[in-house]
Amino acid sequence: MGLLQERYKNYREPQKFMEMGVYPYFRAISGKQGTEVDMEGQKVLMFGSNAYTGLTGDERIIKAAKDALDVYGSGCAGSRFLNGTLDLHVQLEKELAEFEHKDDALCFSTGFFVNSGVLAVICGREDYIICDERDHASIVDGRRLSFAKQLKFKHNDMEDLEKQLQKCEPGAIKLIVVDGVFSMEGDLANLPEIVRLKKKYNASIMVDEAHGIGVFGKEGRGVCDHFGVIDDVDIIMGTFSKSLASIGGFVAADSDTINYLRHTCRTYIFSASNTPAATAAAREALHIIRTEPERMENLWKTTNYALKRFREEGFEIGDTESPIIPLYVRDVDKTFIVTKLAFDNGVFINPVIPPACAPQDTLVRFALMATHTEEQVERGVQVLKKVFKDQNLLK
């Protein structure tokens, strides 16, 4: 056995939870994602999805993907930089740029590649990247790849953000990078105050709208539009794998910045371009969310009901302002136990443990779709109430 294998033969953390019978990952779903799914031989309520618009099984999107397969085939066999650009990609980029009130946009094969690629090249050695301490892992990896100086501020702490900005050289580029909606806790970045600090210190802002598109703002544009600061945010990224019912991602900005990224961003240049089916699916989903405001209305009706019920039952749900509802457990073992017991009672939720959160902040994540009903939410609340009480997590 080599040194590499020797090192990892002792990695047995997952096996510990398998032996306890509470390992929660890689459960296979049989069929389409929806508010109820067939999983491991039983039907469960799905409260662990990021499909906020509820469009993953929409027949219009499925047809758009099938039509693209017929016209373009199954793949592009190369990168966008060389032979992999379709007119379909170009059309979607134009629509996304207009959607986010920017000059231009680029489509990537995953949302992770957007953040990890853009942040790696957007700032130089004399520049600064300033991140919220709870930014998504793709932002963390992107800033690690950058030669820029790295600064972090306490979560949503604007006083600490200002302290970090004061450390920067006045003439250097200072890029503040935040999630619009923080994906585990469900709270929003304080964008109005971040914009104020941007102007005070001549900084720039990049916002990850992965969990904001289809949920906030006019026509589902996201948190930047929700706060009325979309024109003050320099770079907006988003994903197709959540509200847009597909896979991939994009970045939107001014034409000069996009021109630079188009010719320097390694995760764009050296990755195969997004498949025709995925691109067509995302484009059709974008059309639907822009023309069916009732989806967002229903999402918020159900979300507000869920927030009210969890608070009434005494759950600790933090500062969430979104369809992402954290139910704090604050114990790793019990987080897995709660997840398993909920599943056994027909409710699928996600456990959140380090490194996705601090050890003292473990939680289960309950997320809503536009297609959930209040009756389904109530069933979920009742199951979780019993489970939490049985584990002495609720009075």
Side-chain angles (χ1 to χ4, degrees), residues 368-380:
L368 282 307
M369 300 180 233
T371 42
H372 277 121
T373 65
E374 289 185 5
E375 185 272 334
Q376 288 175 323
V377 170
E378 188 60 35
R379 282 162 56 195

Side-chain angles (χ1 to χ4, degrees), residues 266-337:
R266 294 164 72 87
T267 57
Y268 177 80
I269 294 172
F270 295 103
S271 288
S273 56
N274 214 357
T275 66
T279 306
R283 187 169 178 238
E284 182 63 21
L286 182 64
H287 296 167
I288 292 170
I289 67 171
R290 297 191 73 176
T291 57
E292 295 185 0
E294 61 271 20
R295 284 190 175 271
M296 272 180 56
E297 291 166 8
N298 194 63
L299 174 62
W300 278 104
K301 180 177 176 233
T302 311
T303 295
N304 289 330
Y305 178 79
L307 290 167
K308 172 176 168 286
R309 290 295 294 117
F310 280 121
R311 289 191 176 110
E312 286 174 346
E313 297 295 351
F315 286 86
E316 182 189 355
I317 64 172
D319 298 322
T320 181
E321 300 178 64
S322 72
I324 299 165
I325 305 178
L327 307 175
Y328 283 92
V329 179
R330 304 193 183 284
D331 177 283
V332 172
D333 287 0
K334 283 193 175 183
T335 299
F336 282 129
I337 292 168

Side-chain angles (χ1 to χ4, degrees), residues 185-203:
E185 298 84 5
D187 56 335
L188 310 185
N190 188 350
L191 288 180
E193 185 64 9
I194 292 171
V195 167
R196 185 187 72 80
L197 292 172
K198 162 197 165 159
K199 293 176 179 177
K200 182 176 179 179
Y201 291 94
N202 192 26

Side-chain angles (χ1 to χ4, degrees), residues 131-367:
C131 293
D132 188 293
E133 65 182 357
R134 293 189 190 170
D135 278 347
H136 189 265
S138 56
I139 294 173
V140 174
D141 282 5
R143 67 177 179 79
R144 283 174 176 170
L145 290 167
S146 173
F147 291 116
K149 297 163 186 171
Q150 313 286 324
L151 296 172
K152 281 195 297 185
F153 61 96
K154 296 172 187 174
H155 177 55
N156 249 346
D157 186 328
M158 297 298 101
E159 185 177 335
D160 194 38
L161 172 56
E162 184 158 19
K163 287 178 182 176
Q164 304 310 315
L165 287 164
Q166 288 168 348
K167 295 177 183 178
C168 303
E169 291 294 327
I173 291 171
K174 299 168 283 292
L175 182 64
I176 304 165
V177 187
V178 293
D179 290 5
V181 181
F182 289 90
S183 59
M184 297 298 109
E185 298 84 5
D187 56 335
L188 310 185
N190 188 350
L191 288 180
E193 185 64 9
I194 292 171
V195 167
R196 185 187 72 80
L197 292 172
K198 162 197 165 159
K199 293 176 179 177
K200 182 176 179 179
Y201 291 94
N202 192 26
S204 301
I205 303 173
M206 177 174 172
V207 175
D208 180 332
E209 286 278 23
H211 297 268
I213 289 173
V215 179
F216 290 92
K218 185 179 179 183
E219 297 183 346
R221 282 193 180 89
V223 176
C224 299
D225 187 75
H226 167 74
F227 282 120
V229 298
I230 197 165
D231 293 334
D232 294 306
V233 173
D234 302 273
I235 302 172
I236 293 174
M237 74 79 61
T239 56
F240 304 153
S241 56
K242 298 173 176 64
S243 288
L244 295 180
S246 184
I247 184 70
F250 73 93
V251 60
D254 63 278
S255 56
D256 291 332
T257 299
I258 294 297
N259 175 57
Y260 176 77
L261 292 171
R262 184 178 279 119
H263 295 91
T264 61
C265 185
R266 294 164 72 87
T267 57
Y268 177 80
I269 294 172
F270 295 103
S271 288
S273 56
N274 214 357
T275 66
T279 306
R283 187 169 178 238
E284 182 63 21
L286 182 64
H287 296 167
I288 292 170
I289 67 171
R290 297 191 73 176
T291 57
E292 295 185 0
E294 61 271 20
R295 284 190 175 271
M296 272 180 56
E297 291 166 8
N298 194 63
L299 174 62
W300 278 104
K301 180 177 176 233
T302 311
T303 295
N304 289 330
Y305 178 79
L307 290 167
K308 172 176 168 286
R309 290 295 294 117
F310 280 121
R311 289 191 176 110
E312 286 174 346
E313 297 295 351
F315 286 86
E316 182 189 355
I317 64 172
D319 298 322
T320 181
E321 300 178 64
S322 72
I324 299 165
I325 305 178
L327 307 175
Y328 283 92
V329 179
R330 304 193 183 284
D331 177 283
V332 172
D333 287 0
K334 283 193 175 183
T335 299
F336 282 129
I337 292 168
V338 164
T339 304
K340 172 65 163 57
L341 292 174
F343 182 81
D344 290 345
N345 286 276
V347 173
F348 183 92
I349 48 175
N350 292 315
V352 180
I353 63 166
C357 66
Q360 69 275 15
D361 292 334
T362 68
L363 57 95
V364 291
R365 181 181 183 273
F366 187 98

